[in-house]
Structures are given as C-alpha cells and as structure tokens.
Amino acid sequence: MHQILLSLHSINRWFVLLSILYSIYLAARGRFQRLKFTAHANFMRHTTATISQIQLLLGLSLYMISPVVKFAMTESDTGHLVSEHVFFKYIHIWLMATSVVLITLGSSKAKRMETDTQKFSTMLFWFCLALLVILIAIPWPFSPFASRPFLRPF
C-alpha cells in the first residue's frame, strides 16, 4: 500500500504542477490582455483546486503510514538543522497543506469576483503564491533537505 500511494503521490505532483502553471498562464494572459473569463478558464480554476486537494489527500494518507515519518517520531536530535526526517515530518506536510489552502482560497475568491479582470487577477495572485510554496516544499532531486527522484515507479 505504501509503494502504491508513494507512486500515485509522485505522479499526481506533475498534474498539480502542470495544472497550476497552465492556470497561471491563462490568468496572466486574461488579466493583461483583458480577455473574457471563459468556461475553459473557469474549468481550469476548478480543476487545479480539485487536483491539488486530491494530492493533499494522497499526501495525508502517505503521511499516516510512511516509515520516514514514523522514524522521525522516534528520532532524537541529530545536530542537523533540518534532517530529511524533520523535513517530511513538519516542513513538507505543512507547506503543502498551506499551498492547497492558498489554491482553494484563490479559486473560491476568483469564482465570486464580479468582473473578468478581477477573476483573473485573483487567480493569478493566489495561484502564484501557492506555486512558490509548492516549489519550496517539493523534495526535488537537488534539494538540500530531502532528495527524491522526479518520478517514482510502481
């Protein structure tokens, strides 16, 4: 079960990144070119929020059964400022949950705005903020905190 969740979480990461990048592109283009907030833009707003929420559920499920987190619960102070175990136990989970909250807030606020420009501006601001948090919290292969592969196989 752990390996399946880990693989799904790894694969879905790319769907989250692609959807948020595309939504940011649509929002920036719509905002600066003063375009109409189309059904497609609304679909992407909603889809990005949904995919990120699914990713959070996968991550929380993984967090509950992860041997890395279980080990971190018993680990004593190693002298490192941020160990890999501390990264997954605290930093990754909280930053990613925060990013999903930011995406959900941005999606919800954009939905309720009156003008198309306001919808695009709201989406652009909140999704960019969430993307920044996501990029910090992903355990990239080059990360000094915890390195993981770009894609985990099943």
Side-chain angles (χ1 to χ4, degrees), residues 5-154:
L5 282 174
L6 201 56
S7 296
L8 289 173
H9 189 66
S10 177
I11 291 166
N12 199 52
R13 158 184 43 176
W14 296 106
F15 291 123
V16 171
L17 286 172
L18 289 173
S19 70
I20 198 167
L21 286 171
Y22 184 61
S23 293
I24 288 171
Y25 164 75
L26 288 177
R29 194 169 143 249
R31 164 69 177 93
F32 297 114
Q33 293 180 4
R34 305 231 186 264
L35 301 176
K36 182 172 174 26
F37 197 81
T38 62
H40 177 67
N42 191 50
F43 172 78
M44 283 311 300
R45 173 200 59 79
H46 178 70
T47 301
T48 299
T50 303
I51 291 171
S52 69
Q53 291 164 355
I54 291 168
Q55 180 72 344
L56 180 63
L57 289 176
L58 286 170
L60 289 173
S61 300
L62 193 56
Y63 185 82
M64 297 301 166
I65 66 170
S66 172
V68 173
V69 174
K70 286 180 184 176
F71 178 78
M73 299 295 185
T74 62
E75 181 184 38
S76 62
D77 186 21
T78 60
H80 294 97
L81 185 59
V82 177
S83 71
E84 180 176 317
H85 305 294
V86 170
F87 175 78
F88 285 108
K89 182 179 173 187
Y90 299 115
I91 298 169
H92 180 71
I93 190 77
W94 286 108
L95 286 179
M96 289 304 190
T98 301
S99 72
V100 173
V101 168
L102 293 172
I103 291 169
T104 304
L105 276 171
S107 176
S108 179
K109 285 180 172 287
K111 180 181 177 181
R112 288 166 178 71
M113 291 291 148
E114 294 188 15
T115 68
D116 293 339
T117 303
Q118 288 175 329
K119 289 179 183 191
F120 283 127
S121 296
T122 303
M123 221 171 102
L124 183 62
F125 172 76
W126 289 97
F127 284 18
C128 282
L129 192 59
L131 179 62
L132 178 65
V133 173
I134 288 169
L135 292 176
I136 291 168
I138 288 179
W140 298 105
F142 49 82
S143 172
F145 303 119
S147 94
R148 294 292 186 266
F150 283 117
L151 193 62
R152 285 188 180 270
F154 278 97

